[in-house]
Amino acid sequence: MLIFEILDEMLNFGYCFVSSYNEIKQNLTFEPIRPKIPQQDDLALRFFGINVMDGSRVTTGPSEPKNKAPNSAYINIVEGLSAVFDASGELRSSELWGKLTLISTLLVPAPITIELNSDLVVRTSGLPEGQVAGATHIENPSFHSCVDSSQLNRKKVLRVLPPPDQTRLMVYTLSDSACIHIPLLVIPSLLAIDGSRDQNFSLRLKNQAESHTTASYVRVKIKLPACVSSISTTKSGERQSSQYHSTEKIAEWEIKKSPGGTEEKITFRLINNTDRAINLADIGPISVAFNITNFSASGLVVRMARVEGQAEPMSQTPECYFGVSTKSASYTVRTDLTRTVTSPASSLASFTT
């Protein structure tokens, strides 16, 4: 911001400064602005028009060691999933990014061995390696300097000498839609009401994940056409809530918890005070935000982790805890997409960012 302020002064008055901030501050016509650094979701909304953030989800900062049990290691896999669907629920494109993080509160620094999926296939952009049926895939992993990844391809093991506090051990991507597990499907439908210009717009949300997983704070946002003056809502469950922002013509549907293997439904009656007919393609895009615990879209999990070395007598044995979760990055249903027929080979090869 200081650089922009100096440039502004140069354009206005035709002189430049080669000095320290304290010396030039008295010549500035306004106080420095120190804005809050936007999160990744905010950047996507501002620059790309993607609604991926909702007010009910609070972004938490890195966990601090003081909130964790002493002499322990916390290993987590967090994945961000992007996907585009058509109105029938067919997946048109998908990709994900992931990170493997470690929070260490070990009393004495010691190497930690982390064992990943036994069927893990690591793909890099430089190798034309295809997918392996039934295996877990990741692409282009990069590692922190404290990570020894020499045994990853052969034994699926990472060896880490962690620094204190939180460390991002590995980041990776996956752009092959055939290797990505899709947890949620949102299928829209539009039905005319006899004797009325109004129409019923219904949404079905299917949680395809396993029963031990839970999607929390699922929020669906629907852009409605300008001819819709108001809506009325019919819900199918007590865990749901909805609201309508008439100025922006946006309807919101929130589900606090959606267990794996369940389905939720909501119906909006679109009240139309004009003579214009509403088509399904006029509605949308539909954006979905969620966070699912105990679920990995790539299938990557930590099978085992242990701290190397023997604990000293009378001291606490180090413990390792690990978990996995997946959140939406840009999860969109496009009702204006036309269904096209493609060959299986081209479907696997194509990817739209």
Side-chain angles (χ1 to χ4, degrees):
M1 293 305 297
L2 177 60
I3 292 173
F4 280 111
E5 291 167 1
I6 294 174
L7 291 175
D8 183 65
E9 296 290 327
M10 291 170 59
L11 292 174
N12 288 338
F13 304 108
Y15 58 85
C16 62
F17 300 104
V18 182
S19 183
S20 66
Y21 172 74
N22 290 332
E23 293 174 341
I24 66 174
K25 182 178 179 181
Q26 58 185 346
N27 298 308
L28 297 178
T29 56
F30 47 83
E31 288 297 318
I33 301 172
R34 295 180 172 86
K36 181 180 178 182
I37 299 175
Q39 301 297 321
Q40 180 182 7
D41 289 345
D42 297 329
L43 291 173
L45 175 61
R46 288 170 56 191
F47 292 102
F48 303 106
I50 302 172
N51 288 320
V52 295
M53 197 71 176
D54 63 86
S56 64
R57 297 165 58 202
V58 179
T59 303
T60 57
S63 300
E64 298 182 4
K66 65 181 182 181
N67 297 326
K68 303 293 183 181
N71 206 28
S72 301
Y74 295 82
I75 305 166
N76 291 294
I77 294 174
V78 179
E79 295 183 339
L81 177 60
S82 298
V84 177
F85 304 85
D86 63 18
S88 66
E90 180 182 354
L91 179 67
R92 306 303 290 266
S93 66
S94 64
E95 65 174 347
L96 65 82
W97 58 265
K99 61 181 179 180
L100 174 67
T101 63
L102 169 66
I103 301 175
S104 173
T105 60
L106 297 177
L107 301 178
V108 179
I112 301 175
T113 299
I114 302 174
E115 182 179 340
L116 303 175
N117 308 54
S118 58
D119 62 348
L120 179 63
V121 176
V122 180
R123 298 157 61 176
T124 60
S125 56
L127 297 176
E129 183 180 8
Q131 63 172 254
V132 178
T136 300
H137 297 75
I138 62 173
E139 298 173 354
N140 304 315
S142 60
F143 304 93
H144 190 275
S145 57
C146 70
V147 178
D148 178 6
S149 60
S150 59
Q151 302 182 68
L152 178 60
N153 288 325
R154 187 167 57 91
K155 294 185 176 181
K156 321 304 179 188
V157 169
L158 298 174
R159 192 170 182 269
V160 183
L161 184 58
D165 205 356
Q166 180 166 323
T167 307
R168 185 176 298 183
L169 302 179
M170 178 179 70
V171 294
Y172 58 92
T173 60
L174 185 57
S175 58
D176 190 341
S177 297
C179 302
I180 297 176
H181 307 286
I182 298 298
L184 299 183
L185 281 182
V186 175
I187 303 175
S189 61
L190 189 65
L191 183 64
I193 300 175
D194 293 338
S196 175
R197 290 175 294 187
D198 301 345
Q199 291 175 282
N200 282 332
F201 176 68
S202 298
L203 288 173
R204 292 167 52 214
L205 186 141
K206 300 174 64 176
N207 190 336
Q208 304 181 121
E210 297 180 356
S211 57
H212 66 273
T213 67
T214 300
S216 58
Y217 294 108
V218 181
R219 174 167 288 185
V220 182
K221 293 184 179 181
I222 311 103
K223 179 66 175 178
L224 299 177
C227 61
V228 175
S229 60
S230 60
I231 64 173
S232 61
T233 308
T234 303
K235 307 180 185 69
S236 63
E238 297 180 353
R239 296 173 297 192
Q240 304 180 25
S241 62
S242 64
Q243 55 182 323
Y244 177 57
H245 305 281
S246 57
T247 305
E248 297 86 2
K249 301 294 182 181
I250 292 178
E252 294 186 5
W253 176 31
E254 184 177 295
I255 304 168
K256 292 184 178 179
K257 288 186 178 181
S258 174
T262 63
E263 180 175 326
E264 307 283 348
K265 184 178 180 180
I266 192 170
T267 299
F268 298 100
R269 177 167 179 153
L270 308 182
I271 299 175
N272 183 5
N273 292 330
T274 70
D275 295 330
R276 178 189 172 187
I278 302 175
N279 299 315
L280 185 59
D282 299 327
I283 300 173
I286 303 169
S287 63
V288 187
F290 61 83
N291 184 72
I292 303 183
T293 55
N294 301 319
F295 178 84
S296 168
S298 67
L300 184 68
V301 294
V302 176
R303 295 185 58 195
M304 183 274 295
R306 62 181 179 85
V307 180
E308 299 180 8
Q310 298 294 326
E312 297 180 1
M314 306 300 293
S315 65
Q316 178 185 358
T317 303
E319 297 286 348
C320 292
Y321 305 91
F322 36 90
V324 61
S325 64
T326 298
K327 62 180 181 179
S328 60
S330 176
Y331 211 82
T332 308
V333 179
R334 296 284 302 274
T335 58
D336 57 345
L337 292 178
T338 57
R339 189 183 183 92
T340 57
V341 179
T342 57
S343 64
S346 62
S347 299
L348 295 177
S350 65
F351 170 68
T352 304
T353 58

